[in-house]
Amino acid sequence: REVLEAEGKRGSGVPIVVETLVAWLVSHDALRAEGLLRISGSSSRTAALKNHLDRKIPPDAISTFIPDSLVESPHDVAAILKHYFKELPEPLLSFSLYDDLLAIMKSSTATPEDRLRTLKEMVSRRLPDDHVKLL
């Protein structure tokens, strides 16, 4: 549970655990892995990795804190990232935006460009700063 509380943040305002997981995925060219967020990681390896991360991530070890010996597949690391977002007390695109987001997507007169522009405006004006930084 400690890792999910994201107690540590660096200058970017992004929780250290998120920076660490994303840095590992980028440094291992895992963003090209098929079904990265769709395919589940191994539950035993994911649990071992989460236990490792729960020991607190040193702020100066962002990209090196995940030993390759604990990871067999990028899906293992992505599973931890998905779990982090799933356990947030409020979704990144908060409940207060839900109806407006639905209306934007259902609009039959809005072009894709209009939808994107409206979404960007909504995010920048109505979401808390921490949510915007994490997005």
Side-chain angles (χ1 to χ4, degrees):
R1 185 77 189 155
E2 294 84 17
V3 74
L4 298 176
E5 293 175 4
E7 70 287 335
K9 294 183 181 180
R10 292 165 44 104
S12 67
V14 175
I16 289 174
V17 67
V18 173
E19 280 193 35
T20 300
L21 295 167
V22 171
W24 189 95
L25 291 168
V26 169
S27 69
H28 288 77
D29 200 27
L31 300 180
R32 298 174 188 257
E34 183 177 342
L36 182 62
L37 296 172
R38 180 180 47 83
I39 298 172
S40 298
S42 157
S43 58
S44 61
R45 287 191 309 267
T46 300
L49 179 56
K50 184 181 175 307
N51 286 337
H52 177 75
L53 292 172
D54 277 343
R55 289 188 228 140
K56 301 212 175 161
I57 302 167
D60 59 342
I62 291 302
S63 62
T64 60
F65 193 67
I66 299 175
D68 289 338
S69 61
L70 287 179
V71 181
E72 187 173 303
S73 159
H75 300 96
D76 299 335
V77 176
I80 299 290
L81 189 60
K82 288 190 306 188
H83 184 70
Y84 174 85
F85 287 117
K86 180 180 171 188
E87 294 296 317
L88 288 173
E90 183 175 348
L92 284 179
L93 296 175
S94 63
F95 294 119
S96 64
L97 296 180
Y98 182 78
D99 290 333
D100 293 337
L101 289 171
L102 229 60
I104 291 168
M105 298 314 291
K106 287 184 176 182
S107 171
S108 61
T109 59
T111 66
E113 293 80 15
D114 290 338
R115 287 184 180 113
L116 184 58
R117 185 181 63 255
T118 304
L119 179 62
K120 285 180 180 180
E121 288 172 6
M122 193 181 304
V123 164
S124 66
R125 292 183 185 164
R126 295 180 47 198
L127 279 181
D129 287 343
D130 284 346
H131 290 228
V132 174
K133 289 175 185 174
L134 198 47
L135 282 172

